[in-house]
Amino acid sequence: MRWLMGGQVYDVSTGSFRTADIGIAHGRIATVGSGARREHADDTIDATGLWLLPGLIDCHVHLTLPTDAGDPAASANRSDAAITLYAAGAAARTLHAGITTVRDVGGWNYVEMAVRDAVDSGSIPGPRMFLAGRLLSITTSTVEYYPGMYEVADGVDAVRAAARRQLAKGADLIKVMATGAMLSSETEDSRAIQFTLEELRAAVEIAHDNHKHVAAHCHALRGIENAVEAGVDSIEHCTFADDAVLRKMAAAGTTLVPTVCAGELLFRDPAAIASMPPHLLTRMAEFNDLHIDAIRRAHQLGVAIAMGTDAGTPGNHHGLNAEECVLLSLKAGLSPQESIRTATVNAARLLRQADHLGALDEGKHADIIGMCENPLDDITALTRVALVIKAGEVARDERGA
Ligand SMILES: [Zn+2]
């Protein structure tokens, strides 16, 4: 048994800390409470002065996308070998920032699956990874930007076959493009509908029949309506949502994954901005405030929010993921407790991992992060993690540094 002694342990259900010791065995939390006896501990970590949270979960990343390249056309023809090495580095930076689990909603020629296998076997550092494989899309000119990420499928039968291909490759979920994208070709419109309601239903049918979930990329209002109607599990971005569709999401239990970082972190990075084609920069600037307003209204109307950054977009660097929690709190009106919930219990529920992840409770995976400051007093503390433990193993330790 390994003991994490004397830390302030966060209870996500009450939103409060208490001093407690955490006993870890076989990668899981064996016990939480007082009375852990040092003399019985064969391995003890002193957590005095640390504020301990469950490892954070990011439900929207692209580990294979290079964040310093503002022009997708310039990085469309990277070799799979180069992409694999890049993704391995991105995985390490993500874990070291306290993100112990990610959901990748659009990989590249399935190289991310090799990265996942290397992480799971312990040969390289990285978070737990839930993967979509290629994202499903209609025929669109944006495929030229992301040839390794897009799986084109037009029509219900083609969508079924494409979803099955992702599952056969080892996908944990299916990602569908319900509307156009922002970081897309000059002729693509983020307010255009892409998959029809029938095509979305086909993807949901195949995923749910296989006990997998569906993430739907949505900007346009009618695309959000179609995705909710089709029964998807999460709406990504949700930019042009009105209150009526947000109420439908709340009633249906559809989770919103905001990705506020995609706009906000881009505008903090002059190099990424400078390398970006004008049409992309214009769109990102035009819709950023409107997007944040939609997230604020969603929260007020009771929509469940799960943290997701879109890490991989320009300036949205792997390892800055916890900034999303900061932005949700400071810009979208969530309390620090609510913001922490998005990256813990809410995210675990979306991943269908509520029994294993998202809380510091007996029986859960021992994925634990520690900070020297109380994140309830200052939510930016989440971006300054001193201790990262994944499955009971220390991945980063800067206590006292
Ligand atoms: Zn994305």
Side-chain angles (χ1 to χ4, degrees), residues 10-214:
Y10 191 67
D11 181 337
V12 287
S13 56
T14 63
S16 60
F17 286 97
R18 64 177 171 134
T19 307
D21 307 319
I22 299 175
I24 299 168
H26 310 295
R28 295 203 177 236
I29 296 173
T31 180
V32 183
S34 56
R37 295 162 64 94
R38 274 173 196 274
E39 59 267 33
H40 290 163
D42 38 31
D43 188 359
T44 298
I45 300 167
D46 181 10
T48 309
L50 284 186
W51 304 84
L52 302 174
L53 294 184
L56 303 181
I57 303 170
D58 187 333
C59 294
H60 192 128
V61 303
H62 302 278
L63 290 170
T64 52
L65 284 186
T67 58
D68 51 1
D71 184 359
S75 46
N77 294 312
R78 299 172 299 154
S79 71
D80 283 358
I83 295 169
T84 308
L85 287 169
Y86 177 86
R93 293 200 298 282
T94 303
L95 175 65
H96 292 152
I99 314 301
T100 51
T101 300
V102 297
R103 186 179 70 155
D104 190 299
V105 292
W108 198 284
N109 290 340
Y110 310 104
V111 304
E112 70 283 0
M113 295 192 173
V115 174
R116 173 186 61 188
D117 294 347
V119 167
D120 288 349
S121 71
S123 39
I124 60 171
R128 300 176 192 280
M129 292 164 64
F130 293 83
L131 306 174
R134 289 174 181 246
L135 55 80
L136 275 48
S137 165
I138 63 162
T139 296
T140 163
S141 52
T142 300
V143 178
E144 288 174 25
Y145 275 3
Y146 310 107
M149 183 185 291
Y150 274 59
E151 183 89 349
V152 171
D154 294 302
V156 166
D157 288 344
V159 168
R160 285 204 183 95
R164 288 179 179 128
R165 280 198 295 278
Q166 306 319 301
L167 298 177
K169 288 281 189 182
D172 303 294
L173 68 140
I174 299 298
K175 164 82 174 294
V176 292
M177 300 298 280
T179 75
M182 295 279 179
L183 294 170
S184 58
S185 72
E186 200 158 359
T187 53
E188 183 164 313
D189 183 351
S190 63
R191 285 159 294 190
I193 303 306
Q194 293 198 339
F195 278 134
T196 63
L197 178 58
E198 288 67 33
E199 288 167 323
L200 292 172
R201 280 193 171 126
V204 170
E205 177 194 4
I206 298 301
H208 287 180
D209 281 355
N210 288 280
H211 311 291
K212 309 294 185 189
H213 71 278
V214 177

Side-chain angles (χ1 to χ4, degrees), residues 168-322:
K169 288 281 189 182
D172 303 294
L173 68 140
I174 299 298
K175 164 82 174 294
V176 292
M177 300 298 280
T179 75
M182 295 279 179
L183 294 170
S184 58
S185 72
E186 200 158 359
T187 53
E188 183 164 313
D189 183 351
S190 63
R191 285 159 294 190
I193 303 306
Q194 293 198 339
F195 278 134
T196 63
L197 178 58
E198 288 67 33
E199 288 167 323
L200 292 172
R201 280 193 171 126
V204 170
E205 177 194 4
I206 298 301
H208 287 180
D209 281 355
N210 288 280
H211 311 291
K212 309 294 185 189
H213 71 278
V214 177
H217 163 105
C218 296
H219 292 299
L221 172 60
R222 197 155 64 78
I224 303 169
E225 291 170 344
N226 284 345
V228 175
E229 177 78 27
V232 306
D233 300 274
S234 67
I235 301 285
E236 317 296 305
H237 320 301
C238 209
T239 308
F240 301 109
D242 65 8
D243 287 358
V245 81
L246 293 173
R247 286 195 185 92
K248 277 185 196 158
M249 287 173 66
T254 315
T255 298
L256 165 58
V257 179
T259 73
V260 175
C261 278
E264 290 290 318
L265 296 191
L266 167 65
F267 293 113
R268 289 184 203 169
D269 188 327
I273 290 172
S275 65
M276 205 163 205
H279 76 276
L280 296 184
L281 199 53
T282 307
R283 286 180 198 162
M284 295 302 279
E286 185 178 358
F287 299 123
N288 195 44
D289 290 348
L290 192 140
H291 178 217
I292 292 170
D293 181 63
I295 307 307
R296 183 188 297 109
R297 286 184 288 114
H299 174 59
Q300 287 166 353
L301 292 168
V303 176
I305 296 176
M307 192 271 263
T309 56
D310 222 349
T313 59
N316 192 0
H317 303 294
H318 303 284
L320 299 182
N321 315 59

Side-chain angles (χ1 to χ4, degrees), residues 342-358:
T342 70
T344 54
V345 278
N346 291 5
R349 193 182 308 125
L350 174 59
L351 296 177
R352 302 185 174 195
Q353 295 292 311
D355 290 343
H356 305 289
L357 298 171

